[in-house]
Every structure is written in C-alpha cells, then in structure tokens.
Amino acid sequence: MTDLPESTLAVTGATGRLGGRVARRLAERGMAQRLLVRNPERAPELPGATAIGGSYHDHDAVVRGLSGAKTVFMVSASESADRLDQHRAFVDAAAEAGVGHLVYVSFFGAAPDAVFTLARDHFHTEEHIRASGMAYTFLRDNLYAGFIPDLAGEDGVIRGPAGQGRAAFVSHDDIADAAAAVLARPAGHAGAIYDLTGPESLTLDEAAEIVSEVLGRTVTYHPETVEEAYASRASYGAPQWQLDAWVSTYTAIAAGRLDGVSDAVPRLTGHPATPLADVIRAARGGAGR
C-alpha cells in the first residue's frame, strides 16, 4: 500500500505491551489510527487501523509514515545505549512531518539528576519535545506493576538496594486507559504532565508479601548494598549502562524518588487505579486463590 491512510492519529509500539493496549482501546472507541511499527506483519489487526513500517532512527520512513498525522502516541524505544539518540531522531522527523501534538510515555520523576539513570534519558527526551514546537503531553509512569513478580530469582527472592523505600507501581492497563483518554481529546491535555501511579506506595517487603499471597508461593525481599547489587549482576555480562540502570531502579526506590500516589489515573480514566494484587492476579489468571 503506497497511499497513506486518512487517519490523523498515529500510535507507535503497537506490537508491545503498552502500545498494543493503547491501539486496542482506540479501536474500541471507533478511532481510525496508523500503527507505526518496525515490522508491519506483526502489527495487531484492528478495525480502522493501518500498519506502516518505520523505526525511530529511520528518518525518511518516519516522515512518510507520519505525514498528515496530527497527534502521535510515542512509546519509549527499547532500552539501549543510543535510546536518547533514537528519541531525538524520531521527534525531529515527527516535527518535519507536520505532527502537531506528541503524547510521550515518560517516567515518574524524570529529571537531569534522576537517581534512576534511564529517567535522565526521559527528561532529555521531554526537553527535546518541548524545543520542537509541537504541543505535548507527558505520561510519567511509575514502575510497571506487572513486572514485580519477575524481579524474584528462581529462589523466590527479590534482591536489590531499595532499602525500605517505596514505589507506587502502576498497571499497563491503567496507563493505556489514561493514554486513550488523552488521545481521544488531545487538545484538552496540551502542555500537561501526568504522574501515573498505582493506588498505594509499597516497600519491596510489602510487594513481596502481596506476590506471595496471590501466587501461593513464598516470595521475599533481601536488601543488598549497592556493591553487592553490582557484584550479583556482574555474571550477566551486561554493558555498564545496563548494570547502572538495573541497580539504580532499586536505589531510586531507596532514595524516595518513586514514592507518592497521584490522582491522575482516576482523573483521566474515571476508575480507581488498580492495586498490585489485582494486576498480578489478572496476569496469572487468578493463581493462588
């Protein structure tokens, strides 16, 4: 297909957990959309949706794919050493294509000096979007609630230097509901920054207790020192930036940078934010009870 679809809304990351959820919600609302994905064959087949090929660093493909689009939902690129460069390239191409409004999935507490190293990339992406001249909305997600069970090793222990800090874990579904609400009426959210969180801030001890109860197996949290955290992850052979990201996820919790509950999810979606137990129960098909 060489002709671009008439839809003026584009969604990136539709083959992923978050972008796919957003695309499905928009289709349920009857909204036409373009799905900008690396491999169109993997894009979900949805009413009113047209898949278009293009990766963030492919300038010409992005300009072609977004030509005529007014609003774009931009998920973060996969974690990599050059992710910020990819983000900047995509933003520049979107502006060149004439996009009017970017809705960007950022991170809770994005700042140039964020303890969580990847949150610094999100801050600099936000700044690049601001400088582009496009209208923007930033959805600053807390840590994904659905990933908490995966933090435990095979022995059922979550290890990391989080101390007794707290985080307000948020569900993919709540983020997608909030994003769909923004994308349905983007003009009303221009310039807005929303902190998307779960309904409560939890320590990893408390989170482990919830995981144990829902899954019916013992999961515990073992606080590490920063030195122990780097040593325990050294065997993976990951590059330094990746090790720093892994460890700083926990040190950001310890520093209180992920603490705090926002009302943005209920305000945008009209329903309460989903508790961690319900997220895990839904993902595991109600295992344990």
Side-chain angles (χ1 to χ4, degrees):
M1 175 178 178
T2 56
D3 295 332
L4 287 173
E6 295 181 359
S7 55
T8 59
L9 172 62
V11 171
T12 69
T15 58
R17 295 191 187 192
L18 181 56
R21 282 172 163 85
V22 172
R24 286 193 293 275
R25 282 158 173 76
L26 295 174
E28 289 167 0
R29 288 172 176 256
M31 299 177 65
Q33 58 186 312
R34 309 177 196 180
L35 307 180
L36 186 70
V37 293
R38 288 191 298 270
N39 182 357
E41 293 182 357
R42 293 186 56 226
E45 295 185 7
L46 299 168
T50 303
I52 299 172
S55 56
Y56 278 11
H57 54 73
D58 189 338
H59 173 272
D60 292 346
V62 172
V63 172
R64 284 195 304 270
L66 298 185
S67 178
K70 295 180 180 178
T71 306
V72 174
F73 178 67
M74 177 185 174
V75 301
S76 307
S78 299
E79 294 180 6
S80 66
D82 69 342
R83 179 163 72 161
L84 180 55
D85 290 336
Q86 291 185 51
H87 286 179
R88 286 171 170 160
F90 178 81
V91 171
D92 291 344
E96 183 177 330
V99 171
H101 190 147
L102 270 186
V103 178
Y104 172 62
V105 180
S106 187
F107 191 79
F108 190 90
D113 61 348
V115 175
F116 178 42
T117 55
L118 299 186
R120 303 170 194 172
D121 288 350
H122 286 292
F123 169 81
H124 291 298
T125 300
E126 288 184 2
E127 290 297 285
H128 200 70
I129 293 171
R130 292 179 198 269
S132 72
M134 291 181 284
Y136 63 84
T137 306
F138 299 145
L139 305 179
R140 291 181 172 177
D141 306 343
N142 208 288
L143 293 175
Y144 293 140
F147 290 162
I148 303 306
D150 299 328
L151 296 178
E154 293 183 1
D155 58 358
V157 179
I158 299 173
R159 293 179 172 83
Q164 290 303 306
R166 296 177 177 274
F169 310 113
V170 63
S171 80
H172 282 85
D173 284 321
D174 286 351
I175 299 167
D177 287 345
V182 169
L183 293 166
R185 295 178 177 82
H189 304 278
I193 300 173
Y194 296 112
D195 289 333
L196 302 185
T197 74
E200 57 186 342
S201 277
L202 301 167
T203 66
L204 288 185
D205 276 320
E206 292 168 342
E209 290 178 7
I210 292 170
V211 173
S212 298
E213 180 180 359
V214 175
L215 298 186
R217 59 182 175 84
T218 301
V219 175
T220 59
Y221 166 57
H222 171 72
E224 292 179 309
T225 66
V226 172
E227 293 73 21
E228 288 171 339
Y230 275 101
S232 66
R233 291 157 177 78
S235 63
Y236 293 108
Q240 188 63 44
W241 70 265
Q242 184 72 75
L243 289 172
D244 291 340
W246 287 343
V247 174
S248 65
T249 304
Y250 295 92
T251 55
I253 295 175
R257 298 294 183 91
L258 300 180
D259 192 7
V261 174
S262 161
D263 68 348
V265 166
R267 189 151 43 93
L268 291 170
T269 67
H271 64 70
T274 309
L276 176 61
D278 291 349
V279 175
I280 299 171
R281 192 170 291 116
R284 298 299 193 272
R289 300 217 314 206

